[in-house]
Amino acid sequence: METPDNATEASEEAPVPTGIAAQDWATASADPQYRAAVVDLLGALAYGELAAFERLAEDAKLAPTLGDKAALAKMASAEFHHFEQLTDRLTAIEEEPTAAMEPFAKALDDFHRQTAPSDWLEGLVKAYVGDSIASDFYREIAARLDTDTRSLVLSVLDDTGHGNFAVEKVRAAIEAEPRVGGRLALWARRLMGEALSQAQRVVADRDALSTMLVGGVADGFDLAEVGRMFSRITEAHTKRMAALGLAA
């Protein structure tokens, strides 16, 4: 899954983790509600990585050059490695990976079906915008996780290189044909709305995740912080649009 290229680096003045964020998995997972939330989170991430692998492999078929095809194939391989890390972790904590992913399959499949790109450039924008929004969301949640789970989540959000690749190709296409920019800007705005709606539906449908998100589990967000979180995600989207040379 893509990490936004302009992701904010950890501040030297960041607060010292407390509560669950200062605990390891063995300690934090004693709370059954927290454990259920983490299993949901890992299941959602794992299916997202599998879907990203499939999508990049499909996008490679649309690539205009052999070099582009090879670059996307390499990125797809990195996504599949992330998927394996997550399923290995689920197995290690005695959870069945397929069962953990199953609740999220329909929502993610619906999102990808509703936002199927019509060409190579739309595919690049979708991966860059859509995956980055998801990464922003998971990074926000990661700050509240136990140390072991947080480390895993952040590692699978590592940049596969797709962000810089997409920016380079999209900006070059707009420079060659400026009118393409308007179409892609509309497409990106649609993706933003669909991605946020999909994220909200997934959380709302899973009691453990929603309870953790709004503070029912120690160290969760309060409702005001949820609002600020989505504001930060929107601001990051605006910056990514600028990097692509598109208007938000």
Side-chain angles (χ1 to χ4, degrees):
M1 189 166 291
E2 194 66 28
T3 297
D5 299 309
N6 58 358
T8 303
E9 296 181 358
S11 169
E12 294 180 359
E13 299 179 358
V16 176
T18 60
I20 285 179
Q23 298 174 5
D24 60 13
W25 168 252
T27 303
S29 62
D31 180 343
Q33 192 173 46
Y34 176 76
R35 179 187 176 91
V38 169
V39 171
D40 273 354
L41 181 65
L42 296 181
L45 265 171
Y47 194 78
E49 294 291 350
L50 182 59
F53 160 74
E54 293 176 326
R55 189 184 65 245
L56 283 171
E58 285 297 312
D59 287 350
K61 297 177 183 178
L62 301 173
T65 71
L66 182 57
D68 292 337
K69 186 185 294 288
L72 286 181
K74 183 177 180 180
M75 294 171 204
S77 177
E79 299 289 12
F80 193 77
H81 177 60
H82 290 163
F83 164 74
E84 290 180 313
Q85 288 178 278
L86 290 159
T87 55
D88 286 349
R89 177 60 176 165
L90 283 163
T91 300
I93 63 173
E94 300 181 344
E95 297 288 342
E96 207 288 308
T98 301
M101 291 187 289
E102 187 65 36
F104 307 99
K106 184 180 186 304
L108 286 169
D109 288 347
D110 286 348
F111 169 73
H112 289 304
R113 184 171 58 254
Q114 292 163 4
T115 58
S118 62
D119 60 21
W120 158 252
L121 290 174
E122 285 191 3
L124 289 178
V125 171
K126 179 181 175 180
Y128 181 59
V129 171
D131 284 0
S132 293
I133 291 170
S135 289
D136 289 343
F137 178 69
Y138 288 126
R139 280 182 173 275
E140 293 277 357
I141 294 177
R144 268 73 177 177
L145 300 174
D146 65 271
T147 56
D148 298 317
T149 304
R150 181 167 66 249
S151 177
L152 172 62
V153 168
L154 293 179
S155 73
V156 300
L157 296 179
D158 278 348
D159 189 0
T160 61
H162 197 279
N164 289 333
F165 181 84
V167 168
E168 177 187 344
K169 299 297 179 180
V170 170
R171 290 186 74 95
I174 293 172
E175 184 176 346
E177 189 176 352
R179 65 179 182 177
V180 168
R183 173 172 67 87
L184 293 180
L186 288 173
W187 171 243
R189 284 196 285 273
R190 179 188 166 193
L191 290 170
M192 175 67 172
E194 292 284 355
L196 288 179
S197 295
Q198 186 259 345
Q200 291 167 341
R201 284 195 301 270
V202 166
V203 172
D205 288 345
R206 303 299 293 175
D207 289 343
L209 267 182
S210 60
T211 300
M212 180 172 71
L213 190 61
V214 298
V217 174
D219 305 328
F221 297 83
D222 59 26
L223 290 176
E225 180 58 22
V226 170
R228 289 191 289 270
M229 176 185 74
F230 280 108
S231 292
R232 289 192 293 269
I233 291 173
T234 301
E235 289 169 8
H237 168 74
T238 300
K239 292 179 181 178
R240 282 189 294 269
M241 291 286 283
L244 285 170
L246 302 174

